[in-house]
Amino acid sequence: MRAFLLFLLLLALLALVCSRGWRPPDRYDPWAPLDLRAPPDLFLHYKLGRLGADPRACRATLAQAGARFEPLPDRRGPGACGWTDAVRLRGTGEALLAHPAVVTCPLAASLVLLDRQVLQPAARELYGGPVARIDHVGGYACRNLYGRAAAPLSHHARAAAIDLTGFALADGRRLRIADDWNGQGRAAAFLHRVHNRACEVVGMVLGPDYNLEHHSHFHVEATGWGYCR
């Protein structure tokens, strides 16, 4: 009985506080708008998931972070391929993409976070300078998994995945996953750190240790709750 009365008292206190306009800081509020410039919080993946249901808010979030992008009209076909709420992403606000990529807006937001929270800190710590360019082999591609006729449709066919192949530093050095992943120097340390920390800010990352098909790239998706292999 005492526990129930205490529970009612706490509810009444919470209702009183909220009625006077108080709200928790954004990092403790799962319903607060996502700020891609802020450090990740406990509700990051939930907030990223909400962006998929609100295209206007997603594009505003990208713009606030300084990302370079162009909204695209929805596309249907061929077949089950196409995209909804996609952008042509040119830069994250920190680094440029080697060439524009068609990705869903939530995936673009995830790439902004990956660059700001993982790539740039790792590059500055290990190399003393920033990442200037993100190399990739495309986002949208109308194909099945691994290009096999009998396989399910790839997430690339919905612009919901992108394959990153390496990174160029501001001093001109290039770090390539195909060449440097299995090395012993700073390049390998950088790539492994990026892979290991990526799922703090994106939904899924599959790298060279996942299977042979990923030996040359990081497969990145926005959806999921932090799965790195």
Side-chain angles (χ1 to χ4, degrees):
M1 184 66 177
R2 288 183 178 178
F4 180 68
L5 290 175
L6 180 60
F7 176 69
L8 290 179
L9 180 61
L10 288 173
L11 283 181
L13 180 61
L14 180 61
L16 177 63
V17 170
C18 291
S19 70
R20 298 194 174 190
W22 179 87
R23 56 186 294 253
D26 284 355
R27 66 180 294 100
Y28 301 112
D29 182 359
W31 295 280
L34 177 62
D35 186 347
L36 300 176
R37 302 165 300 178
D41 58 44
L42 292 174
F43 303 105
L44 172 63
H45 289 287
Y46 172 72
K47 292 177 180 179
L48 280 170
R50 283 171 46 206
L51 290 181
D54 193 340
R56 181 176 298 178
C58 187
R59 293 191 294 269
T61 299
L62 286 181
Q64 179 190 48
R68 297 177 58 183
F69 70 97
E70 303 155 16
L72 297 174
D74 292 350
R75 174 175 174 177
R76 297 286 182 266
C81 296
W83 60 69
T84 300
D85 183 24
V87 301
R88 181 174 285 107
L89 185 66
R90 301 180 182 276
T92 65
E94 296 280 340
L96 295 175
L97 273 65
H99 51 91
V102 175
V103 293
T104 62
C105 188
L107 179 54
S110 294
L111 291 172
V112 171
L113 285 168
L114 178 67
D115 190 22
R116 286 178 173 270
Q117 303 298 331
V118 180
L119 292 178
Q120 301 300 343
R124 289 189 169 93
E125 181 176 340
L126 292 173
Y127 288 98
V131 171
R133 190 184 73 233
I134 299 172
D135 296 331
H136 66 94
V137 287
Y140 174 76
C142 184
R143 62 175 176 81
N144 292 343
L145 286 171
Y146 307 125
R148 298 170 185 165
L153 199 67
S154 167
H155 280 80
H156 288 280
R158 301 291 176 81
I162 188 170
D163 292 336
L164 309 182
T165 57
F167 312 96
L169 305 181
D171 63 10
R173 275 180 282 202
R174 292 188 63 191
L175 313 175
R176 300 184 71 246
I177 295 168
D179 298 334
D180 299 317
W181 178 261
N182 292 318
Q184 300 297 321
R186 277 189 299 176
F190 173 85
L191 294 174
H192 280 267
R193 182 177 302 187
V194 169
H195 176 273
N196 292 339
R197 290 202 56 205
C199 277
E200 297 175 13
V201 294
V202 302
M204 176 185 290
V205 178
L206 303 178
D209 292 341
Y210 178 64
N211 61 20
L212 185 60
E213 282 82 0
H214 291 82
H215 76 281
S216 63
H217 63 274
F218 295 157
H219 172 93
V220 178
E221 296 182 20
T223 55
W225 293 84
Y227 181 79
C228 283
R229 288 286 302 276

